[in-house]
Structure formats: structure tokens, C-alpha cells
Amino acid sequence: MLNEQTTQAKGQAIDVPTGDSTRTHAPQAGQPGEPVNRNKEANHELSIRVRDLNLWYGEHQALKNINIDIYQKNVTALIGPSGCGKSTFLRCLNRMNDLIKSVRIQGLVEMDGRDVNETKMDEVALRRRVGMVFQKPNPFPKSIYENIAYAPRMHDLVGRKAEQDELVERALRDAGLWNEVKDKLHQPGTSLSGGQQQRLCIARAIAVQPDVILMDEPTSALDPISTATIEDLMDKLKQQFTIVTVTHNMQQAARVADYTAFFHLGELIEYNDTRVMFSNPHIRKTEDYITGRYG
Amino acid sequence: MLSNLTLLTFCAVLAVLGLIAFVVARAKALRTRQAGVAMYAQPDQYAWFSVLATAGPAILVGAVGAFVMLLLGAEIPTPYLLAASLVIAAIGLFVGVMQVRPDFHARQAIERVIRLALACAALVSIVTTFGILLSIISEAIRFFQMQSLWDFLTGTTWAPGDSFLAAAGRGGEVESVAQFGSVPLFVGTFIISLIAMLVAIPVGLLAAIYMAEFAPPRIRTLAKPVLEVLAGIPTVVYGFFAAITVAPIIVDFAGFFGLDASYNNALAPGVVMGIMIIPFISSLSDDVINAVPDSMREGSLALGMTKSETIKSVVLPASLPGIISASLLAVSRALGETMIVVMAAGMRPNLTANPLEDMTTVTVRIVAALTGDQEFESAETLSAFALGLVLFVVTLALNMVSVLMIRRFREKYRTNTL
Amino acid sequence: MSQSFDEITAQLRRRHRRSANLKRMSMGALILAAAFLVVFIGDMLVKGLPAFQQAQIQIEVNYSEQAREIPPAAVGDDVRSLVSRGYLRLIPSRMEENPELLGTQRMEWVIADSTVDQYLKGHNSELRPKEKRVVDRLVEQGRAELRFNTTFFTTGDSRMPEMAGIAAAAMGTVMTLIVTMAVCFPVGVMTAVYLEEFAPDNHLTQIIEININNLAAVPSILFGLLGLAVYINFFGVPRSSPLVGGLTLALMTLPVIIIATRTALRSVPDGIRQAAFGVGCSRWQVVRDHVLPLSLPGILTGSIIGMAQAMGETAPLIIVGMVAFIPDVSASFTNAATVMPAQVFTWAGDPSPAFVEKTAGGILVLLAVLITLNATAVLLRKKFERRW
């Protein structure tokens, strides 16, 4: 277990697994910040370990002492009111925050035994293993086929044309889009509907065969039916990939996530098994948010 | 013609009438108001309305009269015209003051006039375009009455020769027949523009890529003014630079390799024109590249692409319509550029593809045709308008295509940065 | 299936190298553009700075009766060819003005011939060896030196390089720009106000808008053709005059001012218009009292930039005849005149080194004025820039 964690941040309360379903309203102050590891049938191998992560936009501190473990081949949902830092946190995991000039990051984000923020770490290599799907579908202004084949070809994952065709088909099948687009692979990606575009972006991400896929509110721009399709897809994809998704929709978190983390004002308030979190949150703030008292 | 004194008197009288209108109308309105009658408008507005009623029609009549004199050549004695317009001013004054009534919407009347004046100003640009078109076309038609259109477009010899003598009624003295085959001019224009584009597009585009994607903000704020200065240099200065500095360098350089270059070689004006167009391309491309949404870049970076791969495979293809549009505008500039070629390119129509030889362009011949002491009616002078017509049509077409492309680009990303 | 970081990093090495190329190339392009500017300005400075200096020699001038008839007689044989003929020609008229000069002899610093000027500046000169020795002796005696060239800023064009100046052209530029701005500023602003604030969204408005964009892209020389055919041949405006030049440039500058004004008007937020409508202003009152004052800095900036553009324009002015030889400074709208860039063009046609120097000197003055204008515009924009 990961209990070498000693420096517990002020005001930070990380849920400690209690094993029973007693409601705990009081913040668990003073408890060692040991992330949850529920007994579940799924596998619990560690994928990304985050310790004492702080992030500033200029003078403004957007993340405060985040400690969290993300497990392989599970769906982890990050919830919280807007501006709480959940997207910012997500973007720390593949260093997309590097693109913003004024950002300063402190703390450990560890993957595969390496600190992703260390200077020796090539952020391109990191992003190769940690893919991302964005809030708004952003297919490239290329054909559907090229949208998917582009990255694997650059990564030398495919050689011959036949291999490439096969990979495109597999990615589209995995993303559940194949049947809809197999006859129009060479039409522009932007000609698809919003939900299809988002699945195209997911197909694009999995074609690179990453370990982790980050999803930043992937369904917020979509209609309910497309949303349901994508949720089913996430459920299927977690067989192969670790998925971390940000959502402002608590029902969605309840439906798709194995673990849920609740962020508020840059702090991680509670992190727990989704079922526990929604049936029996340990912290008052979480409960207030989940029951819709604010947010 | 108008003598200055009469004109001055006219203006003075008109101004006095206007002042009277203002004072009288205002006083009347104030009186009405003090009498306790509610009025639709402010006293000042009534006053201004009266001024408009006085001066407006009078000036209009004066202008129409002057125009009729110029256009139709009708001789209206100037004093009569001015006197007539002063009479109209007096009538206007009377009517204007009469209109100071509580139920009259003076403000609306004024604003209708203002709106009309603004709309007229907006029409000036249309009139200008049609002016260009009509003036060029009408003179060009006269040219094509003398010379065949087919020969003009396909002939390979441009030798206006002694055509001005023919126009002066001394055609018998002309030894050779003037020929107006414009192909050598088009070829020269094309080659010089091509050289300019070969310089401007790569350098301008790469500079734009650096500014938009790589440059730290400090360099950006430094580089922008540099490019703006480059853009603000008058073309006559570039022309001098091309002729005095660049051309001899090219001749020496060519001589070093055993090549024979003319001092009026096409390379010097081409290269310098390219330098002139760099800021044009770079600032337009910079705008276009910045208009590509960041989500495109993030999408590519999140797939594990390097920054340059992202630029090459995603950003540039996305901004291609905008870049092409900028390049077309640049081509249209290069085609119409005059001073650099007048000063640095040759005068001799020379049908060749060798950029080290001298060649001439459409604009050079336009200037040459119009700066001599020829009779305006001569074929050579009129040929300038025929060439101008070609230039106008080509640049207009390039501009239209460019506008359509940029519009499609903007619709694609729904951005308004251009 | 998944590779370790080290494996991926190793694969990436080649791609990173190639990627660095693009950055280097693009940076190189920018540096190249900047280098062009440096070379260019440097070249102009090297060629043009000497124009601000002028050789003067101290000689004995004999205001004799004979000199009034034959001016060269006023100076000694040995230095006669060294003195500017332009100076000698002025001797009789000076004697007219100052009768007491008659019969006197005085040592005077006079403007030297351009050959002496070029010799003192170390250029090839057409001076004969004997004359060179005379000049060398004068230099040794401190009677020949390079002084600040006031002639350059006070006289008009001349066939004699040492007497040629930019004053006539500068005055022509001022007169021309007055006409230009007097026409295109009101018309441009009015057009922009109409299009932004009043125009209904109909076909006519769209045509006007497309038309303005096209007008901005029409090669400037075609405006010259318009000026020639319409103003000169049709309306009979005097050729070569600041009036015809200014009117021609006005049409060319019109789109610049319209586009700048529209941008400035558009940047005034609708909230302000709505607030003004809310207190019962009419549309015109809203524009006059609220929108125009707020967008004035933007309009002025655009106008200055348009004016700078008009100031550097040559091609259309050549067509309407503003490349005349103008020796006298004249502040008239209807007399023949020339403008700064046209003066540069005229001088550039003379290949002698003395005129190359004048050309570059004129260019430096022109560039200084243009850069000042543009800098003013930039500062104005910075100062009044407002984020709503």
C-alpha cells in the first residue's frame, strides 16, 4: 500500500477506506492521506501516482496539494463545480499545461516509475502514452481515414498500406464508429455529426495505443443519445485502457466511473469508490454537492 | 471662369444668410416656447434646420450649375448662376424660418438630411470604381479601334515606335508600322512577379510561422514593428535600392560565374519586390495561423506529435486557404507594382525567360506611354489604358478569388480575426 | 503492446531533430527579413548621410561693376571652376539688393561646386589634377571644409547637384496631402459611419462593402489613369498640380480610412449604444455624442497610417504629371509641383554620384518622416487602446 505519504496538506481530507457504510460527515482531518483502494473485482494496479501536486496560474493557485492514485483499466471520474481545478488537474497528467506560459507546477506525478515533470522526461513521449479527448470534438480538417492514420504513421506504428487500413478499421471498430463511416472514410472528419466526431476523436486517440486516455468533459457538447453511446464506449474501452474523465454531470460519473474524485476550489475533497461516493459520501461538502445543494 | 473674388463674395453672402437663418429661427423658437407652447424639437434644432434649408439647396444649385457647364459645355454666366443660387438661399431661409412651428419635427428633418449625406459619401467609393472602370474602358476602346484586340493579346512584338507621329497627322513620315503585341510585357511581368513570390512566400510564411508558433512574446513585440517598417517603406525607395545597390551586385555575382547579366536584369526588381511583399505575406499568414483554433493543436499534441509535426500536418493544412488567399493578394500586388520595375527593370520589351536579361512589364510601359510628350490621342498613349484594363481585370479577379477563399476559411472556424 | 518511456524517447530522437529544423528555418526567415531591413537602412545611411554635408570654400569675392554683368568675374581665375555656378549666378541679384556691396572685396564662405564636394567626401571626382591641388591647398589653409548642408533643406530642384534641395518637394507634399486629407477624411469617416451605424443590410450595402475591399487592392497606378482621364482630361484640373495629385491620392487612401474607421466604430461595445438609446437619443445623436468620440483615436490612427501611405506613393502621381522640375518653393494648389517621392524618383534618374547622394539623402528624410508618422500612430493606438 502507498502509505509513505506523510505530508498531509492543511484542509485536505482524503477519504480513508472504512470498509463499512457508515456516513462520515466530518472531514477526516489529521488522517494520513492514503488514497482509497476498494476491494473490487476489477484490477487495481497503479497507473498514475500523484503526490503533493500544486499548480499556479501566475499568482493564482489552482491546485492545492493533490494526492491521488489512479488505477489501471478503470474509469476514474473527476467531478466538482466549474473552476474547481478538475480540468487543470487532468491536463497535468499529460503535461498539456506546458502550453500555457504562466503555469508553474510543483509536486510529483509518477507514471511507470518516472516523474512526468522531470526535465529529462520528453513530453511528447508522455503524450504518446497518455492520450486525450477534449470537451469539444476537434477532428483535424482531414479525411476520416487520415484523422486516424496520421498519428500512427508518424509514430511508425504501421508500415504498409494494408497495415494502416487494418489499424484504421480496428480503431474505428473499437470506437464503435466503423459501421457508420466505413463507406465514407475519405470524407472530411468535420462532415460527421457531433457525437460521431467525438467518437472519431476517441478512435484517433486509441489508434496510438496509449496506456491512459484522458477525457475532458467528452460529452458536454453532445446530445443525450450521443452521450449514452460514448458512455457505453468508455465502459468497453476500460478493458484495454485506463480512463480518467472529467465530468460536470454526476449521473454520468455514477454511471461510468469505478472511482470518483471530488474537487472543490483546487482541493481534492474526497476520492473513493464511486458506489461509496454516491451512496455514502464521507464528507459533508461532497454530499452537499452530490445532492445538488450547490455547484 | 469663376474669379476668386466673386466666389468669395458668394460664400460670404451665403454664410451671412446662414447666420441670419440660425439667429432668426432660434429666436422664433425660443419665443414660441416662452409662450408656453410645447414644441417637438429644441430651439437649436430648429435653428440648424433653417441653416440647412438656406445653404443646402443653394449649394446644390451652384454645384449642378457648375456640373452642367462642365459636362454639357452650356455657357451659363457665372454671376447669373451665383445670383440664382443666392436667391434660392433667400427662399430657403424664408421657408426654413416659416417651418419653426411647434408641430414640425425639426430633428427628424435634420437627421434625414444627415443620413442622406452619409449615404452619398458611401456612394463615392462606388463612383470611384466605376470611374476607374469607365475611364479605362473608354480609352481602351479607342485604342482597340486603332489596333486589333487579337494582335494586342497575342502579338509578340511591342514597338509603339513612331505612332505619335501618325496621330499628329504625319503618318507619312513613319517608316515602320507600330506594333502593340503585349505578350512580352505579360511575360516580363509574370517572370518578375514569379521571382518576387519565390522570395516573399517562403520567407514571409516561415517568418509568420515563427511569430505565431515559436516566438516568445518579447521577440514577437520586437519583430512586428520591424516588419511594419519594412511594409511602410515607399516603393520608390525600394526601386532606388534595387537599381543602385542590388542590380550591380547581381551583375558582379553573375560575372563571377561567367554569366552575362544586364544592369536592368529582372532579378534585381524581382528580389527587391519580394522583400517588399514579405511583411504583407507574413502579417496576413500570421493572422490566419492564429485563427486556427488551439483545439486543433492540442488534439495533435495529445497524440504525441511534436510541435513542428503539429504545425506541418495540422496547422498549415488548416490555414492553407487563408495562406493561399494571402498569396493571391500578394501576386496582385506584385503585378501592379510600378516604381520598383520602372526604376530597376528595363524599358525594352524582351521576350525571354532568362532573369539575368532585361525585360519590361505592363506597368513600366504604362508609365512610359504617359510620361512622354505625346499627343493624348496617339495609339501609344491609349495603349496605356489597354494595358491598365488588363491589369485591372487580372488584379480584380485575383482579389475576388482571394476574398472568397478567406471567407470560406473564416466560416470553417467561425473566427473574426481577419 | 505499450512501450516504455525510454523506448519511445529513443524513437523520438530523430523526429525531434527534424522538428528543430522547422524552428530554425522559421527563425532564420525572420532574421533574414530583419537583415534585409538592416542592410537596406545601412545602405541608405552610407549613401545618403553625406548629402547632409556640403563643401564650402572661403574665397575672395570681388563685387565689381564687371561682376554685375559677368558674374564669374567676381572670383579669381584659380578658384573659379571650384565655386558653384549656382552661387555665381546669384551675385548680380545680391548686388541689386545690397547696393553697398558694389566695389567691395570680401572674403566669403561660398558653396563649392559639386565636383569639389565629391572630392572632399573622398569619392571619384571629375576635378582635374591642377584643381585638386588648389583644393588641397585650400583645405590645408582651413579655407575649404564640409559644413552642414542648409541648401538641401531650403531650395528646390536644380540641375546643379550642390544647389538642389528638397524644399519645393516637401512643400508640394504638404499641399498635396492637405488636398488628400481634406477630401478623404470626411468622405471616409462618413462612409464608415454610414456603413456601420445606419446602412440597412441590403444588396447595395453589400456591393459597397465588396467594392471598398476591391478598391483597396487596385494597383495604385490605375488611380493615376483615373486621375489622368477624369480629373485632367474631363474636368480640366491643371496637370502636375497638388490639386490633381491630392484628389488622385484621396481616392487611393479612401479605403484605408474607411476600413480603419469601421474597425474603430466596431470596437465600441453595443452596450454604449443601447445605453444612449435608452436615454432617448436619436441614432445620429448616439453616433455624434457617444460612438464617434470613443472611436476617435482609432480613426485618427487609421488616418495617420493612410496619410503615411499616401505620402510615399509615387506611381499615380507620375501619371498625373507630378514629376515636374520645380526649382521654386510654391504654396499653391494649382501650380505645377512635385512631391518628395517623385523628387527622389527624378534624382534617381541621374546616375552621377552627386545625385545618387542627393537621392539617398532625400530618401532618408522621407523615411524619417514616414517612420515618425507611423510611430505616432502606434503610440496613439497604445495610449488610447481600451479593452471593453
Side-chain angles (χ1 to χ4, degrees):
Chain A
M1 278 307 292
L2 306 146
N3 44 12
E4 72 274 19
Q5 180 65 31
T6 47
T7 52
Q8 177 59 46
K10 271 180 254 134
Q12 161 108 15
I14 290 203
D15 178 46
V16 177
T18 50
D20 62 31
S21 56
T22 337
R23 289 185 132 201
T24 320
H25 289 296
Q28 309 277 297
Q31 294 278 356
E34 187 185 332
V36 70
N37 188 354
R38 308 286 305 164
N39 294 325
K40 279 188 70 177
E41 60 278 17
N43 102 41
H44 306 297
E45 271 176 68
L46 188 63
S47 173
I48 301 176
R49 195 165 71 107
V50 179
R51 288 294 174 270
D52 283 337
L53 184 71
N54 286 291
L55 181 143
W56 291 265
Y57 288 117
E59 290 300 301
H60 169 70
Q61 185 166 12
L63 292 177
K64 299 171 185 162
N65 281 339
I66 308 294
N67 291 283
I68 195 169
D69 285 348
I70 290 168
Y71 298 103
Q72 282 187 13
K73 311 215 164 141
N74 277 301
V75 176
T76 305
L78 313 178
I79 61 169
S82 44
C84 67
K86 52 192 194 298
S87 284
T88 305
F89 172 72
L90 189 76
R91 295 165 70 96
C92 284
L93 301 181
N94 70 343
R95 284 180 60 183
M96 285 306 263
N97 285 323
D98 285 16
L99 304 177
I100 303 160
K101 288 273 177 323
S102 61
V103 162
R104 196 156 51 85
I105 298 172
Q106 220 177 53
L108 178 75
V109 177
E110 191 184 82
M111 184 182 173
D112 202 6
R114 296 272 298 273
D115 178 4
V116 305
N117 284 318
E118 72 181 17
T119 40
K120 270 206 330 237
M121 169 62 80
D122 182 347
E123 79 272 14
V124 179
L126 173 68
R127 290 180 196 139
R128 175 86 166 62
R129 292 186 66 183
V130 184
M132 190 160 182
V133 175
F134 297 84
Q135 187 168 1
K136 266 196 183 148
N138 57 349
F140 301 133
K142 301 170 185 280
S143 69
I144 294 170
Y145 184 94
E146 270 302 305
N147 256 289
I148 292 169
Y150 157 61
R153 196 168 51 225
M154 299 293 266
H155 292 316
D156 271 336
L157 293 178
V158 285
R160 289 170 297 108
K161 176 90 169 75
E163 248 173 53
Q164 196 169 306
D165 291 348
E166 193 192 312
L167 181 128
V168 169
E169 182 177 341
R170 201 170 57 230
L172 284 171
R173 278 189 193 285
D174 285 349
L177 197 59
W178 176 253
N179 287 328
E180 292 158 64
V181 301
K182 62 182 178 207
D183 300 324
K184 46 180 185 178
L185 285 177
H186 295 284
Q187 286 180 19
T190 43
S191 65
L192 298 172
S193 74
Q196 287 174 325
Q197 285 189 19
Q198 195 61 298
R199 276 182 284 152
L200 178 63
C201 292
I202 293 174
R204 186 174 77 183
I206 60 184
V208 198
Q209 295 156 14
D211 297 323
V212 182
I213 300 176
L214 310 177
M215 297 189 178
D216 188 357
E217 305 200 18
T219 59
S220 68
L222 304 182
D223 60 279
I225 294 171
S226 306
T227 302
T229 319
I230 299 228
E231 286 176 6
D232 291 346
L233 182 58
M234 283 159 80
D235 209 45
K236 214 174 80 196
L237 288 175
K238 75 176 183 187
Q239 310 297 322
Q240 289 181 58
F241 307 99
T242 310
I243 297 177
V244 184
T245 178
V246 165
T247 179
H248 59 260
N249 177 340
M250 276 164 301
Q251 284 72 34
Q252 184 172 65
R255 282 193 299 264
V256 300
D258 299 304
Y259 295 94
T260 300
F262 172 57
F263 281 73
H264 184 62
L265 295 176
E267 292 175 44
L268 175 59
I269 305 295
E270 185 169 354
Y271 177 42
N272 212 330
D273 186 301
T274 303
R275 281 172 299 184
V276 177
M277 187 87 146
F278 280 91
S279 58
N280 196 4
H282 292 183
I283 294 171
R284 179 61 178 271
K285 234 182 218 167
T286 318
E287 192 190 358
D288 285 353
Y289 180 67
I290 287 169
T291 54
R293 228 164 279 175
Y294 72 93
Chain B
M1 277 267 78
L2 300 176
S3 80
N4 283 342
L5 196 67
T6 27
L7 200 63
L8 220 61
T9 327
F10 171 71
C11 290
V13 173
L14 203 59
V16 168
L17 283 177
L19 197 66
I20 294 173
F22 188 89
V23 173
V24 171
R26 199 181 135 86
K28 187 175 167 194
L30 278 176
R31 259 201 321 279
T32 320
R33 203 188 230 184
Q34 270 161 6
V37 185
M39 299 181 90
Y40 269 119
Q42 305 285 324
D44 274 359
Q45 288 164 344
Y46 285 109
W48 280 115
F49 174 77
S50 306
V51 173
L52 275 179
T54 312
I59 291 175
L60 206 65
V61 165
V64 166
F67 215 70
V68 165
M69 273 177 14
L70 275 170
L71 282 187
L72 310 175
E75 275 302 316
I76 310 171
T78 311
Y80 287 179
L81 179 64
L82 293 185
S85 67
L86 283 183
V87 168
I88 287 171
I91 296 172
L93 170 76
F94 183 69
V95 173
V97 174
M98 287 296 288
Q99 285 291 337
V100 183
R101 294 191 313 258
D103 57 344
F104 177 65
H105 290 266
R107 185 177 55 73
Q108 286 179 6
I110 293 175
E111 290 189 0
R112 263 199 298 278
V113 173
I114 288 172
R115 202 189 155 100
L116 197 70
L118 293 176
C120 286
L123 284 178
V124 168
S125 68
I126 297 248
V127 172
T128 307
T129 309
F130 280 99
I132 292 181
L133 210 56
L134 283 182
S135 61
I136 293 177
I137 287 180
S138 66
E139 307 295 348
I141 286 174
R142 281 164 68 193
F143 173 75
F144 290 124
Q145 280 165 353
M146 297 183 211
Q147 306 287 334
S148 106
L149 174 66
W150 182 248
D151 288 348
F152 174 76
L153 288 178
T154 60
T156 55
T157 314
W158 183 274
D162 303 325
S163 62
F164 64 95
L165 286 179
R170 291 155 64 192
E173 299 169 26
V174 180
E175 287 166 17
S176 59
V177 184
Q179 281 180 292
F180 291 95
S182 56
V183 171
L185 313 190
F186 295 148
V187 170
T189 308
F190 174 75
I191 288 176
I192 292 181
S193 302
L194 185 71
I195 296 168
M197 290 302 121
L198 288 179
V199 172
I201 292 181
V203 178
L205 185 56
L206 280 170
I209 291 174
Y210 184 73
M211 302 256 286
E213 299 283 343
F214 294 113
R218 218 156 36 90
I219 296 201
R220 222 180 129 80
T221 50
L222 208 73
K224 278 226 155 189
V226 167
L227 289 173
E228 272 171 29
V229 168
L230 216 48
I233 294 173
T235 53
V236 65
V237 178
Y238 277 114
F240 177 71
F241 183 64
I244 298 290
T245 309
V246 180
I249 292 177
I250 287 172
V251 172
D252 291 349
F253 205 71
F256 183 76
F257 291 104
L259 293 168
D260 199 22
S262 154
Y263 274 96
N264 288 332
N265 62 65
L267 205 52
V271 168
V272 172
M273 200 190 285
I275 298 174
M276 180 191 86
I277 292 173
I278 288 172
F280 188 76
I281 299 235
S282 73
S283 84
L284 284 181
S285 308
D286 189 22
D287 289 345
V288 175
I289 291 174
N290 277 323
V292 173
D294 267 346
S295 66
M296 290 290 136
R297 293 183 185 86
E298 290 186 338
S300 174
L301 291 174
L303 290 171
M305 295 294 138
T306 67
K307 187 149 193 180
S308 302
E309 286 162 353
T310 301
I311 294 167
K312 270 188 269 188
S313 319
V314 176
V315 177
L316 287 186
S319 46
L320 198 62
I323 292 170
I324 291 178
S325 151
S327 306
L328 288 180
L329 278 183
V331 171
S332 123
R333 279 208 146 186
L335 294 179
E337 174 46 44
T338 310
M339 292 320 293
I340 295 178
V341 283
V342 165
M343 294 169 81
M347 290 289 280
R348 183 169 67 101
N350 183 6
L351 189 57
T352 173
N354 179 0
L356 293 177
E357 279 186 41
D358 62 326
M359 49 182 89
T360 195
T361 71
V362 171
T363 47
V364 171
R365 292 315 306 191
I366 294 179
V367 170
L370 294 175
T371 45
D373 287 326
Q374 296 95 344
E375 191 66 23
F376 189 78
E377 305 300 318
S378 80
E380 178 172 11
T381 312
L382 292 177
S383 74
F385 288 88
L387 292 173
L389 183 62
V390 175
L391 194 59
F392 185 74
V393 170
V394 172
T395 51
L396 196 69
L398 283 172
N399 186 40
M400 286 297 207
V401 174
S402 157
V403 165
L404 285 180
M405 291 199 77
I406 199 76
R407 188 168 293 172
R408 281 204 3 225
F409 170 79
R410 256 188 283 175
E411 275 163 13
K412 203 159 161 190
Y413 297 111
R414 292 184 197 91
T415 47
N416 296 313
T417 49
L418 275 172
Chain C
M1 170 178 126
S2 88
Q3 298 161 293
S4 77
F5 283 128
D6 291 330
E7 283 169 344
I8 298 175
T9 310
Q11 292 167 6
L12 276 172
R13 207 157 291 149
R14 201 166 48 96
R15 281 167 57 196
H16 274 307
R17 250 203 317 278
R18 255 191 317 205
S19 294
N21 280 343
L22 180 69
K23 184 171 180 180
R24 266 198 297 274
M25 270 167 61
S26 66
M27 194 152 77
L30 190 63
I31 292 173
L32 193 64
F36 281 139
L37 187 66
V38 171
V39 167
F40 172 80
I41 302 260
D43 187 48
M44 287 305 138
L45 285 175
V46 167
K47 289 198 167 75
L49 276 184
F52 300 127
Q53 285 200 314
Q54 185 177 41
Q56 296 196 3
I57 53 177
Q58 193 186 34
I59 50 159
E60 194 167 44
V61 186
N62 183 3
Y63 292 100
S64 61
E65 199 61 55
Q66 193 193 6
R68 190 150 63 179
E69 305 300 322
I70 313 158
V75 296
D77 286 339
D78 53 337
V79 292
R80 190 169 296 148
S81 63
L82 305 182
V83 178
S84 163
R85 275 173 299 136
Y87 169 80
L88 291 177
R89 238 179 248 171
L90 288 174
I91 287 181
S93 61
R94 285 177 60 205
M95 289 170 74
E96 293 281 315
E97 284 168 26
N98 304 309
E100 73 272 20
L101 280 176
L102 185 67
T104 59
Q105 271 198 10
R106 30 180 101 191
M107 293 294 274
E108 275 180 18
W109 281 96
V110 302
I111 295 168
D113 192 76
S114 71
T115 49
V116 177
D117 187 59
Q118 292 298 306
Y119 179 63
L120 285 183
K121 285 170 182 166
H123 299 303
N124 283 336
S125 170
E126 289 158 16
L127 281 183
R128 280 175 305 228
K130 203 178 105 195
E131 292 167 327
K132 281 183 184 169
R133 279 197 298 280
V134 177
V135 175
D136 288 339
R137 203 185 65 230
L138 286 173
V139 172
E140 268 169 42
Q141 294 168 350
R143 290 171 58 201
E145 61 185 40
L146 289 172
R147 295 188 166 184
F148 181 72
N149 189 350
T150 47
T151 319
F152 188 62
F153 296 98
T154 52
T155 62
D157 201 3
S158 168
R159 300 275 179 242
M160 289 165 284
E162 72 274 12
M163 298 306 281
I166 52 166
M171 181 55 89
T173 290
V174 170
M175 301 308 282
T176 307
L177 286 185
I178 288 176
V179 175
T180 302
M181 293 317 283
V183 173
C184 80
F185 183 76
V187 174
V189 173
M190 281 164 78
T191 304
V193 168
Y194 180 72
L195 291 179
E196 275 304 307
E197 308 285 339
F198 288 92
D201 188 19
N202 60 18
H203 274 296
L204 183 65
T205 313
Q206 279 168 17
I207 289 173
I208 295 178
E209 287 186 13
I210 293 172
N211 189 55
I212 288 167
N213 284 331
N214 278 333
L215 215 51
V218 168
S220 63
I221 190 169
L222 296 182
F223 287 96
L225 292 184
L226 168 84
L228 180 63
V230 175
Y231 294 145
I232 296 179
N233 286 346
F234 192 73
F235 286 114
V237 181
R239 197 164 185 268
S240 302
S241 64
L243 187 61
V244 71
L247 288 173
T248 307
L249 289 183
L251 296 183
M252 226 188 69
T253 317
L254 200 56
V256 180
I257 293 192
I258 293 175
I259 292 168
T261 307
R262 292 189 69 182
T263 315
L265 290 175
R266 230 176 276 160
S267 73
V268 175
D270 262 347
I272 287 184
R273 291 184 185 85
Q274 280 154 13
F277 280 128
V279 296
C281 289
S282 68
R283 191 167 273 280
W284 166 244
Q285 285 167 333
V286 171
V287 172
R288 187 191 61 191
D289 297 336
H290 301 278
V291 180
L292 271 184
L294 285 173
S295 49
L296 198 62
I299 297 174
L300 286 184
T301 311
S303 308
I304 293 176
I305 289 173
M307 199 165 86
Q309 250 178 46
M311 196 172 170
E313 197 54 62
T314 327
L317 298 183
I318 291 184
I319 303 294
V320 296
M322 287 196 82
V323 279
F325 176 79
I326 309 293
D328 299 310
V329 183
S330 132
S332 151
F333 286 115
T334 46
N335 288 347
T338 189
V339 290
M340 295 275 295
Q343 184 69 75
V344 166
F345 174 63
T346 320
W347 282 342
D350 192 321
S352 75
F355 269 112
V356 169
E357 184 186 298
K358 295 280 159 208
T359 314
I363 285 173
L364 286 181
V365 175
L366 185 61
L367 284 183
V369 175
L370 288 181
I371 290 177
T372 313
L373 276 180
N374 282 314
T376 314
V378 169
L379 288 181
L380 203 68
R381 186 165 45 195
K382 278 250 168 66
K383 182 151 189 265
F384 290 97
E385 199 168 49
R386 203 191 293 236
R387 295 250 170 264
W388 297 98

